[in-house]
Amino acid sequence: MITIVDYGAGNLQSVEKAFQYIGAPVRLASSGTEIASAEALVLPGVGAFRDAMHSLEAGGMAQPLRDYIASGRPFLGICLGLQLLFEESEEFGHVKGLGAFKGRICRIPAENGLKVPHMGWNSLELKRTDGIFKGLQENPYVYFVHSYYLKAEERQLVSAQTEYGVKIDAAIQRGNAFATQFHPEKSGRVGLQMLRNFMAVVKEEA
């Protein structure tokens, strides 16, 4: 059973439908108790970092999320769901995140004629070929929508990078915890394969 955290994230339905498409049973969680009881957890997200953190804190879900990630159970963060895992974001000044991992979220510099937000397909430079990237071709293309990007302090966390004016830490992995700046649910066959790979991790842990 895949539990998707429901805190008002804009891409919740598309993530839910993608998992249902690959045959994964899904439920939504909007409380700390439901997060704590999850077998496999997905944290989606689009929009403002500050607003998302406020929703998680106000809903009593922030600390259960930290506890869940520390437990070693399967976890997948998507887009803002990756950014929220880190210590702080530059968005609206300095806003504290969940602090599950060390690093900060920075604004993509609007230089060299590049448009911000970064919207569209970019190739990944894979640092790992296990976990959600198992069986993928070299330099797969995935879909991004974001104005801020991760600078991970713990470099061994980074499982993929991409280039958009700056080097972007596009995915992380530690144990059974995975997170992506891009949207697997919008990345066609490649993205669906990543979700299937995540399901394979979930089944191994069951």
Side-chain angles (χ1 to χ4, degrees):
M1 174 69 72
I2 299 294
T3 299
I4 302 176
V5 182
D6 181 4
Y7 63 102
N11 65 329
L12 187 148
Q13 286 190 334
S14 59
V15 172
E16 182 181 12
K17 288 179 180 178
F19 274 107
Q20 290 172 339
Y21 180 82
I22 64 171
V26 175
R27 69 162 184 160
L28 302 182
S30 55
S31 72
T33 301
E34 290 170 317
I35 289 171
S37 64
E39 300 171 350
L41 194 67
V42 177
L43 180 63
V46 292
F49 188 104
R50 180 179 62 184
D51 294 345
M53 277 304 302
H54 176 76
S55 293
L56 291 173
E57 294 282 6
M61 293 182 277
Q63 189 56 48
L65 269 169
R66 296 184 186 99
D67 295 340
Y68 179 93
I69 295 164
S71 76
R73 283 172 284 171
F75 173 86
L76 177 63
I78 297 174
C79 194
L80 185 59
L82 170 141
Q83 296 181 5
L84 293 168
L85 302 178
F86 288 84
E87 294 169 302
E88 66 173 10
S89 173
E90 291 180 353
E91 192 172 4
F92 301 110
H94 294 282
V95 181
K96 295 294 184 183
L98 292 169
F101 304 109
K102 294 182 179 180
R104 58 200 305 265
I105 308 304
C106 304
R107 181 159 179 88
I108 297 173
E111 299 172 355
N112 304 319
L114 293 175
K115 293 182 179 179
V116 178
H118 169 210
M119 297 178 65
W121 297 81
N122 268 58
S123 63
L124 295 177
E125 178 187 343
L126 299 181
K127 304 296 183 182
R128 300 185 62 156
T129 55
D130 61 344
I132 63 170
F133 297 142
K134 186 176 181 180
L136 295 186
Q137 64 183 23
E138 190 176 358
N139 304 126
Y141 276 81
V142 292
Y143 191 78
F144 287 86
V145 183
H146 64 125
S147 299
Y148 292 81
Y149 72 101
L150 166 64
K151 283 186 178 179
E153 185 176 323
E154 302 170 271
R155 301 310 302 164
Q156 68 273 20
L157 268 180
V158 179
S159 56
Q161 291 182 302
T162 196
E163 191 94 31
Y164 191 74
V166 293
K167 202 77 166 181
I168 291 170
D169 294 337
I172 63 162
Q173 175 179 338
R174 174 175 288 167
N176 290 323
F178 309 89
T180 67
Q181 179 61 70
F182 55 88
H183 288 268
E185 79 282 7
K186 296 180 180 179
S187 297
R189 288 180 295 175
V190 168
L192 290 176
Q193 183 59 48
M194 292 179 193
L195 298 184
R196 290 188 180 99
N197 286 340
F198 179 67
M199 284 303 302
V201 172
V202 173
K203 288 176 181 176
E204 286 176 6
E205 293 298 312

